[in-house]
Amino acid sequence: MEKQFKPVPNVECLKYHGTPEKPDIKIFVSHRIDLDSETINNPLFIPVRCGAVYDKRTDVEMLGDDTGDNISEKRQSFCELTVQYWAWKNIQADYYGLCHYRRYLNFSESNYSTDEYGNVCDDFITLDSIKKYCLYEHSIQKVIQGYDIIVSKKTAVDMFPEHFHSVGEQYKQTSYLHGEDLNTVLDVIVELYPEYEKSVMQYLSGTKTSFCNLFIMKKEIFFEYSEWLFNILFEVEKRIDTTNYTIEGYRTPGHLGERLLNIFILFQESKNPNIKIKELQTVFFSNTAKQDTCLVAAFEDKDNTIPIVLAANDFFVPMCATTIASVLSNADLTHNYDIVVLNKDISSRNKSLMLEMCNKFENVRLRFFDIISLLSQYSLKGGMHISVETYYRFLIQDILKDYDKVLYLDSDLVCTHNIAELYDTNLQNNWIGAVKDPDMIGQINGNEKEFNYAIEKLKLQNPHSYFQAGVLLLNVKALRKSHTTKQWLDESMTKYKYMDQDILNKNAQNKVKFLDMRWNVLIDCVGQRLPIIKQAPYNICQEYLSSRKMPYIIHYAGFQKPWNDVSCDFYEEFWEYAKLTPFYERLISILVDSKIGNSVWRIDRLENKVFPYKPSSARQAADKLCPPGSKRRKVAKFFVPPGSWRYKFIKKLYYFFHPIKRKEEQK
C-alpha cells in the first residue's frame, strides 16, 4: 500500500523569505518527543519534533517531521537525520542547517574551554547563554553569509582518554557499534560513488572528525549532500542486520551519518579548493528541559486557599514528608492547601510517594517546582548544618505570583496545631510574620562579638528583634515591591553567618509582625541551646519557656535531629507524624545506621551523607571534670559560658598542653 503523506503546515516560519540582500536561513533544531525542551527565540531556529509520527500527545504546537515526504518512522535508527530528510524534501531556503535541542554552534568570537571530547559544556539555555554564544539572528546571519559550509569544530580522537590512533579505530572500538558496518559503508560508497574512495580512506585513517551532525550549508551543497547521504544510508540499511543490536547500536545509521558528513566535506574540499568552510565550537547544554518560571494557584478559590512552600533535596524527602504529614494531620476541611516543594533533584519515585500521601485529601494539592535554572547564575553555598536549599525562599515571591501571602516552612519541623490560625494573621503593611529567635538574641545579649556583628554587619537598630526564618508568613505582594528576586540573590553572594536568615533580618527590620513564639519553638539542641537562651532578655526567655509547654510548631533546628538521635528534644512528636508517611521505614533505617547510643550523628545535607559527631577531647575532659547535670557543671557554665572568651581561652590552653589530641581531631 502506498504511503499516505500529511500536508506540510503552512506556517510563517516555513515560508521562503529570501532576498538578494538577506538570504533565507533555516536551521532545523531536532527535538525529542518525550521531553519538553527549551527553545531559542530566534526566527532562524526552527524547532522540529524528531520522530513525530510516534508522538501521542494531542496538544503539541511544535512542528513535526511526519508531514509531506518524510522518514519520521525511522527515528529510532536515523535519529536527527529524519529532520534533515524532512527539511530537504519539503522546505525551501537559501541555507539549511541542523542542530539539536541540546547542541548548538558557538557563533561568538570567543573560544571557550572544552571537555575531553571537544564540547563547550554549559548548564541551561538562558538569555545569558544566548548572549554568550551570540545565538542572535543578526550574529548568525553575518557569519553564515561569508561561508559555503559551517560545521562543528573537529576534535582529535588521539587526544581522547582512550587515545585512538585513527577515526576508523575510534568507530570500531566503540562498544555499541560494529566495525563490519563501517566496511559495509565503504563497499556501498565504492559501488555508488567511486570518486569518493580516496576521501573515505583519508578520513578513516586520519585522527580528526566533527561529531553530532551539526552543520549549515548553502542550498545547492545541502541538496547534493542530502541526496548522497540518504542514497548511501538506505542501501546500507538493507545490508546490515540490526536484530540483536543494543538501543544505541540500533542507531547505527545516525552514527554513520556523522562520519559521512566528514567524508562529504573532505571530498568537497578536494573538488573545489575555493570552497569556504568554517568550523565552530559545539556547545552542549546539560539541562534543557523547559522550566516553569511560576505556578498558578492550584485551586480556583484562592481566598480560601493556604499556599505553603517547603524546600528539600532528595535525601531530605522523608523529613519534608513528615513536616507535610504533621500539617495535614492538624488541618481543617474548611480550607484548601496548596503545597509546593522547591527542589532540584527529588527523584520521580520519591515524588510519587509524596503525591500518594497527599492525594488522600481532596482539599490538598502537592506540587514540585524545579528551581535549578532560576539559580543557575549563582554559586550559592550552605554552611555548618544549613543546606543550600535555605536560599530557595527568596524565589517564592516570583514563583507564586497568584498569591499575596504565602507560608514558608523549613523541612525539619512538625506542626501540632491548625496552621490556618497562623496563616490568618493580619500582616497589615509588614513584609514578614516571624518569631523572635531566642537563641540568637541570647548570643547577642551574652556575647560582645555577636552584638557587634548584629550592629555592624547586619545594621540592626534593635538586635533584640532578630527573628528566626524557619517559619515565615510572607507578604509576597509587599516583598515584590521592595526587592526583586535578583536583589535578594545578589546579596546572598555576600558571606553572612546565618546566610539568608541574616539577609532577611538586615533588610526587613521594622517590617516584621512578631508572632507568638509557639509557632516556632526551637529544640534544646544537645542541651546547649537553653543555657544560651537564658542569656536573652527576661521576657524573651520566659516566652520561650512558656511556649515549650504547648508548642504549635516544633523546629528541630541545629545538628541534632530526631531521626539520628533518640535523646533529641521533642523526639516523640517527630516520630508520631513520621508514622503517617510512606518513608517511616526509611527514617528508621537512618536511625539504625546512626548507631544510636554510641555517639550523636550529624547529617550533612549538602553531601547527602550521615556521619558521626563525636565530642572533642576537650569536651570529654570537661565532661569528666564537670559531669552533665552536676552542680559543678552549672557553676562552670555560669562563669565560662559557651562561646565566651573564657571558654575559647580554656580550649586553646587545653590543646596547647595536648597537641597530639588536637592533631588526631583535625584528622
Side-chain angles (χ1 to χ4, degrees), residues 359-591:
N359 288 344
K360 298 174 183 177
F361 302 87
E362 292 185 2
N363 61 330
V364 175
R365 296 290 184 274
L366 173 64
R367 297 183 288 173
F368 298 89
F369 188 92
D370 188 340
I371 53 77
I372 196 166
S373 66
L374 299 181
L375 294 180
S376 61
Q377 306 301 316
Y378 299 90
S379 55
L380 303 175
K381 296 180 181 179
M384 299 181 292
H385 55 273
I386 307 172
S387 74
V388 72
E389 281 78 17
T390 191
Y391 292 107
Y392 294 1
R393 72 192 83 193
F394 286 143
L395 305 173
I396 295 173
Q397 64 187 57
D398 281 350
I399 294 173
L400 294 179
K401 289 185 177 179
D402 274 2
Y403 294 105
D404 292 337
K405 186 166 64 173
V406 176
L407 178 62
Y408 170 83
L409 301 176
D410 272 352
S411 293
D412 60 346
L413 55 81
V414 293
C415 181
T416 64
H417 199 73
N418 185 359
I419 207 77
E421 292 185 21
L422 171 59
Y423 186 77
D424 287 341
T425 301
N426 186 355
L427 293 178
Q428 297 173 326
N429 293 323
N430 292 302
W431 298 355
I432 293 172
V435 168
K436 287 186 178 181
D437 188 335
D439 186 334
M440 185 62 179
I441 293 173
Q443 294 180 54
I444 290 170
N445 216 36
N447 188 311
E448 185 178 353
K449 185 177 179 181
E450 294 294 342
F451 180 83
N452 291 336
Y453 173 79
I455 295 293
E456 297 170 8
K457 179 73 172 179
L458 302 185
K459 312 294 184 185
L460 297 185
Q461 298 173 16
N462 180 9
H464 295 130
S465 294
Y466 188 96
F467 60 85
Q468 217 282 337
V471 178
L472 296 173
L473 187 57
L474 302 172
N475 181 350
V476 287
K477 183 178 181 180
L479 287 171
R480 291 184 197 112
K481 294 179 181 178
S482 68
H483 288 69
T484 64
T485 296
K486 185 179 185 303
Q487 287 175 322
W488 289 119
L489 293 175
D490 283 345
E491 189 162 0
S492 299
M493 304 302 288
T494 302
K495 188 175 181 180
Y496 289 96
K497 184 176 181 180
Y498 292 107
M499 301 183 298
D500 61 306
Q501 182 169 276
D502 282 352
I503 294 171
L504 287 168
N505 273 275
K506 177 183 176 182
N507 288 279
Q509 55 182 312
N510 302 321
K511 292 291 184 179
V512 181
K513 168 78 173 180
F514 290 106
L515 307 172
D516 188 318
M517 200 172 287
R518 287 180 294 183
W519 286 115
N520 190 356
V521 178
L522 305 179
I523 64 165
D524 183 16
C525 186
V526 294
Q528 294 181 1
R529 179 168 282 143
L530 190 54
I532 295 173
I533 291 176
K534 287 184 178 179
Q535 296 182 64
Y538 174 81
N539 62 324
I540 293 176
C541 179
Q542 286 300 112
E543 185 180 2
Y544 172 76
L545 294 174
S546 176
S547 68
R548 285 178 57 85
K549 298 175 183 178
M550 190 180 292
Y552 290 167
I553 290 179
I554 301 168
H555 190 177
Y556 301 96
F559 62 84
Q560 188 186 31
K561 306 292 186 182
W563 55 85
N564 60 52
D565 185 0
V566 292
S567 67
C568 181
D569 194 20
F570 291 106
Y571 169 90
E572 294 84 358
E573 284 79 357
F574 174 84
W575 286 97
E576 176 186 345
Y577 295 110
K579 293 176 184 177
L580 305 177
T581 75
F583 303 99
Y584 180 60
E585 291 79 4
R586 196 183 303 181
L587 285 163
I588 290 177
S589 176
I590 293 173
L591 192 60

Side-chain angles (χ1 to χ4, degrees), residues 251-262:
R251 296 170 180 161
T252 290
H255 290 291
L256 290 174
E258 294 181 68
R259 279 72 184 179
L260 289 170
L261 173 61
N262 288 267

